[in-house]
Amino acid sequence: MTWIERRAFRAYRFRKQSQSVSEAAEEAYLRDDIPCGSDACSTCQNGLPALSADAPHYIIPDAQALDDYLEIFELPQLQNFVLLTSVIQELWRRSNIRKSARLRSLYRDVRRKCTLFDNLHYAPTAPLPSERHTDRKIERAARWFFGHLDCRIPIIILSGSALQQQDQQESAQPGTSLPCLRVDAVADARTPSKPSSDGDAILMQLLKDSGYDVDFSAVTHPAVAVHPEHNHKMVEGVDAMSSGDVLQGALHMARRGPTEGIVRVGQGRDVQEVQINGLKALNRAIHGDIVAVRLLPREQWPASAAAVLEEDVQEASPEDMNEEDNGRPDPNAKEHLGAMNGLAQAGTASNGRLQPSGEVVAIVQRSAQDLAVCLSQQDEAALLSNPDSLRSEAVLCVPMDRRLPLLRLRSRQLLSLVGQRFVVRVDSWQRDSRHPSCHFVRTLGALNDMRAETDALLVKAGIEWQPFSESAMAELPRVADPSQWSVPEAEALVRRDLRSADHLICSIDPPGCTDVDDALSVRELPSGDLEIGVHIADVSHFVQQGGFLDGEAAARCTTVYLVDRRLDMLPALLSEQLCSLRAGTDRLAVSVLWTLSPDLDVKDVWFGRTIIRSRYQLEYQQAQDIMDGRPPRPGHDCIALADRPRLQRNLQVLAWVAAHLRAGRLQDGALELESAELRFETAAEGQPTEVTGKAEVPMMAVVAEMMIFANSAVARRIYQAFPGSALLRRHPPPRQHAFKEVAALCEAGGCPLDTSSNAALSRSLEAAVVASGDPAIGSLIKSLVTRAMSEAEYFSSGDARPGGGGLSHFGLALQHYTHFTSPIRRYADVVVHRQLMAALNSPDAAPPMRHSVLQQATGTMNERHRQAKRAQRECGDLYLLLLLHSKPHVEAAIVYEIQASGVLLFVPKYHIKGAVQLADRAGRPIPLLKGGTEDDLNDPFLLAERQKLTIQHGADYIRIMDRESGVERDRLSAMQRVWVMLGSDGSRAHGPRLRMRILSPSHPSIPTHDNQATDVSELRASSTAAQRQASAAQRLDRKSAAEEPTSRERTSLAGVLHEFGSLNLGEEAVSLQTSSGRTSQEPMTVIFQPETASPEHQSIMHLKEQLWDALRRANRCQVRMSLSCSSAHAPRRERRAQRLASLTAKVLELQNQLQKHIVT
Amino acid sequence: MEFVSPEGLRLDGRRPKELRALRCQLGPLPQADGSALFEMGNTKVIATVYGPKVADNRSQALHDRAIVKCDYAEAAFSTGNRRQRRGRGDRKTTELASTIRSALEHTILLDLFPRAQIGVSVQVLQVDGSVLGACINAAMLALANAGIPLRDMIAATTAGYLESTPLLDLNFLETTGAGPEVTLALHPNLDKVVVLTEDSTIAAEPFEAVTELAQQGCKAVAQFMRAQLLQHVQTIATVRGLAAL
């Protein structure tokens, strides 16, 4: 069948964009082969869906009614309605893409019994040209329908607008009774008391009358969002600001969601936090904006605890404490610390203090950041269901960061963005709009693609990385090959030449390191003094101040180390070749040479430019082996045999000097905090397959200490030269109130924290860690203390306030400190190099950078460092969570805080803190996992089980009990060790999120006791194990105070020591000779004969002494310690220190073993 | 906006394989040698033919056959909003003109008129999709009106692929959808494709179906044109008294 008639007409359309009416010539082809779609009709051939034959009536809604009551029409109970094409087309023109998709699904869903009828092109119902824009076409269609079905089934028109009067008259014709229902008409006729705008009630009435039984409680009308105006006059008026009425600060949103935020007003000491609650009070402000707030009257301040934003506050990391602890991160490893998402905020107890609350009055400055977003799932489905449309559509984008609101993006090419993560920038937020509008910048890649996700993290952290510009690359030395570069003659004249064989210079770095920026040397002077040298790559020679390369390096400020890649600050030619102090090649360097007396007093320090040739490029483990005298491992045996003894001696001297320096700093109050470094093994596509913690090699501490020494020497020197504009680094003392959490913990352990000065803090921290008796708890305490620390920052020395906030570094306990030793990866070091050179050139030289310029530069540097740290941390988190997602791990954890319906846990292996909710949203308790990897929380049987349980909590315990019987199912107390299943799940929009389930003690996956020994945390059982041993021994001491030690005890001890005969402690062998005295008078001699010696931590030494004391007291025997060092070549003056400093690793194992025997 | 409803109806009520209403008028401009007005739905095109005559430009004339010169223009009022006039040298204009010219060069028996020139001028009065097809059809009718011998008739139409359905004879709204647009002109009796152009991209599998549909459409258009021509000739013959009423 073909069309039978053609009608041409002019169509008028309203264009929203240009706000004008356009006309076009259109045509309609009428036909008569369109089925009516009703099963009651015998003539038409209907496909599916079809209206049922026994329906009481058929409803035909018009455009207005369909638009307003779309939710009602979507209810499955409402069936048998006819959608006319004219109605649908009208709605399409004014709907957005989501509504169009909903409309489409209305008539395409076969179950719904709703048909689409093309009244525009069906000959009997086609409107005349004059009727095209009126409601008569609906009437026509309805009339035709009625007639077509032989008047059996009444047709009801749902119309939101008034129909013309004449139609109603016509409808009164006999034989064609056509009930036409007007929504307002019903109101007037039936329920005059109800307001006519209450359309829901009317429809409900109608449907009830027709026999439908529907629940309308879920239907709501979306409210039109109208935000209050921004009032900039209030901000600009001087009176308002100065009177304190209107405050200005940066907005931080709570992690929980973008409806609560805090504005931090003021700087430094007098920071005030104003809480903003609710979308109306936020008034279109986005996280990161600088806003003007006005305090609400006191009565309106909420009394609940503030949304704590500890993670949003600039977080310190152990990297700031142990500044050069590991030099730079291992290229394959990362630093990992921090609370994961989901940390419950209610932990900080509300003191009953009222938190000042306010509302945003104006936005002073929008944060201009790029945001990583993806399309919302609803919009993606809508786009995919209509791929051929070229209309400009508006969709909602979901940002990766949960603190940001949804954004509206309008574009014609949205189809290419389905399933992708992309970058947008915020344009504006209109008053009448619920969401801000944004525009598209670029695509990052597909969702869950490793590279795209890492790029998204970089965008989130604010790091924009571009390749080096041509002009910057043009400033590099022109060499075809790095090996062709040689020291220029001009430099050879002005620099001190340290290339002679007299200086044995070598560098010690992580394995696989290509950018070597520091090297060490030791020389014994004929006068008996020691000359220690730290040589740093001379980057300032290659990077001229004010050049393009300098500009690029200053813009980047630091190298960012991510798991899969590294974003360099300098081009590879410099960072890996010409500046890097590689072995066997001449290199330019800046050196610091100290002359130390035999008692390690600093006699003289020399700074200057040098030329060096590093002899060996060692790895940490390799250096450790050499120093201990062990044979080299495979791959490490490149050292010439003739050099080995000298190298060994040098390393031992270095270790001794480093130990001495460290002891000095610890005495002044330096803090020793931990960080867990995790290394990931990745598969071919970049997916992480394995995570391992990094073992601590003592050589790392040695190198770190030397770097700290060099940094502080340089800091003193440049401060002396330029007291008003030296680039230094300071660490302000921590905020007192940040210690609340830790203080509570330590008090419970019996050792309160003293935070008055850094020495006091250091001492009390050590005591608390030792008193806790558990290395995991010690780790936890240190981790919490780290969080309480403020951030270290660069500053220009002209900033120092005489009263407070001075120059010193709290964590390292140094008066002056700066960054000097890593110019290849930090721009601050390059600036310090230039300042040092300027200071050396002439005594009253002008500083290379004025104070004002430097102040600005330090602000940038601090910001960039923060961004880099954030990116590194989040990258590590991402990889860890992805790994946990593919392979859930079972790990040990400690409960450290109890909350109303959950607990806070600490996992020592990964240094993760997280919250575990023990009740779901409906309040039903979630018991500990008894078996398997996960139980379905929505399983109806389990739900029924869980309904019977209830949660009870006290100050330091929480338990799940049976409601009726009161039998306790699970119990968790503070400081309890538990096992958790770590996994991750997460939304596609926000990335993976940590999920922890506590395992019941009977869970089959919990490792047995044997496996526990290999737990990583046990490897850290250093001082705490010793203390445990000592306290155990003391207990024994008290027990047997008056008794003579029985021979059984002595033999048991001897037996243990005898068992030790030859003990393999890792790589070190100790041979033991014991002669146990048979009588109490004869002393028992224990001879330790270590084959190698290794320096160890100072505090361990103390505890070793305590151990011996305890042993002696416990056994009433004289235990004489005699030892002989096998290193015959060690200079005499070192032997004493070495003796004192050695043995402790052996003592570790000995203590462990002894503990088992003596205590039990 | 759906291009094909679940019923199988398009935006203007046709089914996917239906052509629009075709109308033509032969010889509306008497002073030209041949002229024709062709309408496909709302697309209206008028074509005029001047020739065969001595070539205007001696250097361009070919010694053994005629040359065809083709002119394409769109009236300023042809689309909904009055838009700027496209200059004569515009890329789209020259491309369309050369397409039409090459189609006609294949159709006209050029060997019969050495050193002559046949000028075809096509003007689009109203745009509603399928413009190239209408132009070729109008040119063909104008040539027939001018009495120039042709190898065969040439008929053209457009076909597209939207919502997984091949559609015949796209109108303007369907052209602005994201789908491809294939214009095909062929000699219906010789069954030879003369012009095949394509806009946008189309996958290989639907391409076959779409061109097949276009060929059938062309044949239907050819049938219509043939009927119109016969009727026209009949009318003239009757007026001349050569044939009975």
Side-chain angles (χ1 to χ4, degrees), chain B residues 65-87:
Chain B
R65 58 187 192 85
I67 55 169
V68 177
K69 280 194 158 176
C70 184
D71 223 355
Y72 171 91
E74 273 180 29
F77 46 81
S78 58
T79 54
N81 316 312
R82 189 190 163 81
R83 54 162 179 75
Q84 285 173 348
R85 295 194 69 121
R86 263 211 208 99

Side-chain angles (χ1 to χ4, degrees), chain A residues 41-80:
Chain A
C41 160
S42 45
T43 44
C44 301
Q45 301 194 345
N46 298 315
L48 284 174
L51 307 167
S52 56
D54 50 358
H57 50 239
Y58 294 152
I59 302 178
I60 302 182
D62 90 334
Q64 192 62 44
L66 191 56
D67 196 11
D68 291 340
Y69 305 118
L70 190 53
E71 288 93 353
I72 298 185
F73 282 100
E74 283 177 335
L75 291 172
Q77 292 96 330
L78 190 56
Q79 298 184 346
N80 294 317

Side-chain angles (χ1 to χ4, degrees), chain A residues 3 6 29 31 107-108 388, chain B residues 2 13 18-19 42 163:
Chain A
W3 50 266
R6 172 183 178 264
Y29 290 92
R31 52 195 329 124
Y107 56 78
R108 284 198 185 251
D388 293 328
Chain B
E2 280 187 329
E18 290 176 0
L19 284 169
N42 270 338
E163 293 189 11

Side-chain angles (χ1 to χ4, degrees), chain A residues 493-557:
Chain A
L493 293 173
V494 296
R495 290 177 181 246
R496 184 163 159 183
D497 195 336
L498 302 178
R499 289 178 283 189
S500 63
D502 210 14
H503 293 89
L504 178 56
I505 302 177
C506 58
S507 60
I508 310 174
D509 290 293
C513 175
T514 49
D515 47 348
V516 180
D517 43 18
D518 53 80
L520 304 162
S521 70
V522 175
R523 196 158 70 113
E524 285 156 38
L525 299 172
S527 57
D529 293 333
L530 270 178
E531 187 189 69
I532 308 279
V534 169
H535 315 278
I536 308 293
D538 190 359
V539 173
S540 56
H541 167 81
F542 291 97
V543 179
Q544 300 298 327
Q545 183 163 3
F548 285 105
L549 200 51
D550 184 44
E552 291 236 4
R556 286 154 209 253
C557 272

